[in-house]
Amino acid sequence: MSSVVVESIGFGIVDASIISIGAMGFSLQFGLTNVFNIAYGTVLTLGAFAAYLAEQWGVVGWYDVLIGAGVGVIATWLIGKGILATFARRNLGLFELITVSLAVELVVQYSVDAADGEQLFSYSFDQGRALRFLGMVFTVTEVEIIGVAVGAFVLLECLLRLTRTGKALRAVAEEPRLARACGIPTSRIVNVAWVLSGALAGVAGVVYIINSLTVSAFTGTDFLPLLLAAAILGRAGSVTGAVVASLAIGIATQLVAAVGGTGYSTIAGFGILVLVLLARPGGVTSGLALKTEVTL
Amino acid sequence: MSFSSLDFYLATVVVIFGVDVLSAWGLNLQYGYAGIPNFSFIVFQAAGAYTAAILTLGPMTATSGQTYVAGTHVPFPVALLAAMAAGAALSAVIGVFAMKRMRADYQAAILLILALILNQFIVTDTSLFNGTSGLANVSRPLGSLVNPSTTGWQWAYAALVWAICAVVLFAVQRLSRSSWGRALRAQRDHDAAAAALGCNVVALKMQVFVIGGAIAGLSGGLLVFYLQAFNTASWGYEETLAIFVSILIGGVANNWGVILGTFLVQIVFVEVPNLLPQFGYIGLVDALEWVVIGLLWMAAIALRPQGVIPERRVRAERFGLPALRRAPPVAAAAAAPGQQGAHEERLGAAGGASRR
């Protein structure tokens, strides 16, 4: 039994790496803009499809991650600056913006579905030999995925802690109006957040299919609740929080999968998000302290 | 297309239209009048449908080829009432934690994820309602009156569905015009002000959530007796979005507008494409339909968020409250100096009182 638990923790760490890449991006985006952007999931799908197409054209291996990141930036820019910002200018409330992002998700997801003929595509990636570590089993590729996540985390933390842009990002996430009053060019900083989160979403999509080796139009949408749970559990805007929450969620869902099967692990992941949204101090408030302003 | 198949198709469209209008009224009560972003609405329809199905399928046997719980035989009206009760009961359970005061987008996300969870749960645990294959062979009710395999039965059922629609329309209109409905709209427009005036906002939301859930359950029951089958693909979260778009296009908080919206979205955009000659692979038309629904949604919010037929302004006099209309100009001018004087006098008296 205990070996099963240890192995599940190993699988959970791999899952957590993939979740954390996406969650860091969503956390930045949500922390800065305050828009609950459900269309984030389709950016993952587009990144994954970009990697699949790149592979078909002969670009294989880790170059696909860069292509995915590029596609993620473009898709996020179009969705964020092209659509959500246009709607936000009409003084819509938080609920209207979540519905718009849901509609965008519906349109993109089913456009991909219509274009690809509702198929599940398989992607090939050499997983390498199995390595054993403290009773957990990892393939070489899985270790590299963990490396990508750690690398993304370290780079992002350095950016946030050591540069002026990073300082401005944290300031806008904390208190947008005060940041603007202090002379921080809020809209430019929000643009930085869109680009960073788009790149992270694209990378998360590619890493997801490197691990699962399949992609369909619904890949990102199915994976989205776990990202949202990690980003909000770790407090929106906090990259470290997103990573820690991803670890908790990745390991918890894998433990449930070991006990009750994969169907229940999905349910557990979604359930964590519901609990997080219900319990989050910023989520449930007594009324007046609602942060309802949108920065786009 | 021969005449009999057209007749069959028309009757089907009329029944589906009725069921969709019914569910749209339920959601309109919750979203239009009360402002609850219920993205899990379709779950309550499913609860009604599954309940009605298992209550008429009879006990599960080895030869029935499907697994489900609590199979019995009850009369048709009892099954419909049970479907309503199931929708209301599930709403009450979910409402206990989802109707708290919270950010509107968090509430929407919670309800959306709940729809995904419950669907996934029924897919995973096949012992409840037979998983993805779903329940089939639900027998058509009222077979003793009309032969169930004729289009005559279909038209009779369509008449029954629309008769129930008429009753529900009367009920929702009465509810929305009652003082309860007025409180509902007050908390939708400004919940802090409504709470200050003594409305129990959480209780109001809970009540309308349960009533809407009962209407959803009823629509599910009516649907399953017509389709005779129901599975997890019938209630994906996207179905709720289609109902939302119907309301947004027809008219938020306007039950007549909702009929128009449901006709435009569910009939013109969802049902009519099934009549067109099939093109592409199987499923292409369905995928494109959802693309169109998404685009319609964005267009509705961008161009006319109040809908084609907007909510009617409710005037205070209709409720026997003092009219808030301004006095006619001449009378006002004549009365103004005196009134002003009186006002100042009162102010002065009050000031004097406080000085003393």
Side-chain angles (χ1 to χ4, degrees):
Chain A
M1 184 59 209
S2 70
S3 73
V4 175
V5 171
V6 173
E7 273 179 23
S8 312
I9 292 175
F11 295 139
I13 292 172
V14 176
D15 275 6
S17 309
I18 305 169
I19 295 170
S20 68
I21 298 173
M24 285 188 275
F26 188 83
S27 182
L28 265 184
Q29 196 181 94
F30 185 49
L32 265 83
T33 63
N34 208 17
V35 176
F36 206 104
N37 178 14
I38 289 184
Y40 192 76
T42 63
V43 179
L44 255 81
T45 311
L46 293 173
F49 263 100
Y52 170 79
L53 291 175
E55 190 211 31
Q56 298 296 304
W57 289 330
V59 184
V60 291
W62 293 98
Y63 293 112
D64 290 355
V65 173
L66 296 178
I67 293 172
V71 169
V73 170
I74 297 168
T76 305
W77 190 265
L78 291 177
I79 292 172
K81 300 299 287 185
I83 300 172
L84 292 178
T86 315
F87 276 94
R89 249 175 260 132
R90 294 169 171 272
N91 273 335
L92 296 178
L94 291 174
F95 167 71
E96 279 80 7
L97 282 173
I98 195 177
T99 62
V100 169
S101 78
L102 194 55
V104 171
E105 188 233 41
L106 204 64
V107 170
V108 178
Q109 172 181 299
Y110 278 99
S111 299
V112 173
D113 193 37
D116 72 10
E118 294 195 320
Q119 292 169 44
L120 190 66
F121 296 92
S122 56
Y123 180 84
S124 58
F125 199 95
D126 184 15
Q127 297 288 315
R129 64 198 172 80
L131 308 168
R132 296 195 158 272
F133 178 73
L134 296 177
M136 298 180 265
V137 189
F138 297 109
T139 63
V140 173
T141 305
E142 282 173 344
V143 173
E144 286 167 338
I145 288 173
I146 297 172
V148 170
V150 172
F153 169 64
V154 170
L155 277 179
L156 211 53
E157 270 296 291
C158 287
L159 174 77
L160 287 175
R161 302 282 158 204
L162 304 178
T163 66
R164 281 182 70 83
T165 313
K167 206 173 186 177
L169 276 166
R170 284 184 288 140
V172 177
E174 212 59 54
E175 195 60 67
R177 269 192 252 176
L178 187 57
R180 200 178 300 140
C182 293
I184 293 173
T186 321
S187 61
R188 212 180 305 160
I189 294 301
V190 169
N191 288 351
V192 173
W194 282 118
V195 169
L196 283 175
S197 66
L200 285 166
V203 171
V206 180
V207 168
Y208 179 87
I209 67 164
I210 285 176
N211 187 48
S212 71
L213 300 178
T214 54
V215 57
S216 81
F218 302 95
T219 298
T221 314
D222 293 345
F223 197 51
L224 184 67
L226 294 179
L227 303 185
L228 301 185
I232 294 165
L233 180 61
R235 201 170 74 84
S238 160
V239 169
T240 316
V243 171
V244 173
S246 300
L247 268 175
I249 288 169
I251 292 171
T253 51
Q254 281 297 340
L255 286 175
V256 172
V259 177
T262 46
Y264 288 108
S265 88
T266 317
I267 293 172
F270 292 3
I272 291 172
L273 175 53
V274 171
L275 293 179
V276 164
L277 286 171
L278 282 170
R280 208 45 245 180
V284 187
T285 69
S286 49
L288 290 175
L290 293 175
K291 186 183 172 191
T292 52
E293 201 188 342
V294 170
T295 324
L296 276 173
Chain B
M1 188 179 276
S2 67
F3 174 73
S4 67
S5 71
L6 184 67
D7 199 29
F8 168 84
Y9 185 77
L10 272 180
T12 303
V13 167
V14 172
V15 172
I16 300 285
F17 185 30
V19 169
D20 285 340
V21 165
L22 210 52
S23 47
W25 282 334
L27 183 57
N28 194 28
L29 210 54
Q30 296 176 339
Y31 171 66
Y33 290 101
I36 300 168
N38 186 4
F39 279 135
S40 59
F41 186 80
I42 201 72
V43 169
F44 307 111
Q45 190 181 55
Y50 280 131
T51 305
I54 57 170
L55 288 182
T56 51
L57 271 172
M60 191 172 80
T61 59
T63 54
S64 56
Q66 44 189 355
T67 52
Y68 50 87
V69 288
T72 45
H73 283 293
V74 300
F76 169 63
V78 178
L80 271 189
L81 288 176
M84 275 179 87
L90 188 61
S91 298
V93 172
I94 290 180
V96 164
F97 55 90
M99 287 305 112
K100 290 196 237 170
R101 294 179 75 185
M102 62 177 95
R103 280 177 58 147
D105 53 350
Y106 278 24
Q107 193 175 34
I110 286 172
L111 289 163
L112 180 67
I113 302 295
L114 272 175
L116 297 175
I117 290 180
L118 290 168
N119 197 296
Q120 180 69 38
F121 182 65
I122 301 300
V123 166
T124 310
D125 190 346
T126 51
S127 68
L128 279 176
F129 303 118
N130 208 28
T132 38
S133 318
L135 303 174
N137 302 326
V138 179
S139 55
R140 291 186 152 173
L142 312 174
S144 54
L145 303 176
V146 192
N147 182 1
S149 53
T150 59
T151 48
W153 182 88
Q154 291 185 305
W155 284 112
Y157 194 75
L160 174 72
V161 168
W162 278 96
I164 292 176
C165 281
V167 174
V168 171
L169 177 64
F170 179 73
V172 291
Q173 290 288 75
R174 282 300 293 267
L175 277 177
S176 68
R177 286 174 190 162
S178 65
S179 61
W180 180 79
R182 207 157 60 233
L184 220 52
R185 285 194 299 271
Q187 65 82 28
R188 172 198 68 187
D189 293 336
H190 204 306
D191 69 336
L197 289 171
C199 292
N200 186 342
V201 173
V202 174
L204 275 172
K205 284 190 172 178
M206 190 71 193
Q207 288 155 4
V208 76
F209 197 63
V210 170
I211 293 173
I215 297 176
L218 176 66
S219 74
L222 286 171
L223 185 66
V224 78
F225 283 122
Y226 187 79
L227 300 178
Q228 300 179 273
F230 202 77
N231 61 26
T232 46
S234 318
W235 52 290
Y237 73 96
E238 297 97 334
E239 305 288 340
T240 311
L241 310 189
I243 306 175
F244 253 105
V245 177
S246 313
I247 294 174
L248 276 176
I249 288 182
V252 179
N254 185 319
N255 291 318
W256 295 99
V258 161
I259 302 180
L260 175 71
T262 306
F263 178 77
L264 288 176
V265 174
Q266 305 273 28
I267 305 301
V268 175
F269 282 106
V270 176
E271 287 299 328
V272 170
N274 296 338
L275 272 177
L276 300 174
Q278 193 72 35
F279 65 96
Y281 54 85
I282 295 165
L284 176 63
V285 175
D286 286 340
L288 291 179
E289 266 169 28
W290 290 116
V291 174
V292 171
I293 296 252
L295 292 174
L296 277 176
W297 187 326
M298 284 191 270
I301 290 187
L303 302 175
R304 202 173 163 82
Q306 72 274 43
V308 174
I309 310 176
E311 180 178 10
R312 287 178 57 186
R313 289 191 57 173
V314 184
R315 307 181 89 124
E317 305 94 279
R318 291 221 340 251
F319 301 105
L321 298 172
L324 296 170
R325 243 183 266 135
R326 285 202 196 99
V330 180
Q339 267 182 357
Q340 217 165 21
H343 184 59
E344 275 163 8
E345 234 173 66
R346 237 179 288 131
L347 265 183
S354 73
R355 243 179 267 129
R356 225 172 284 142

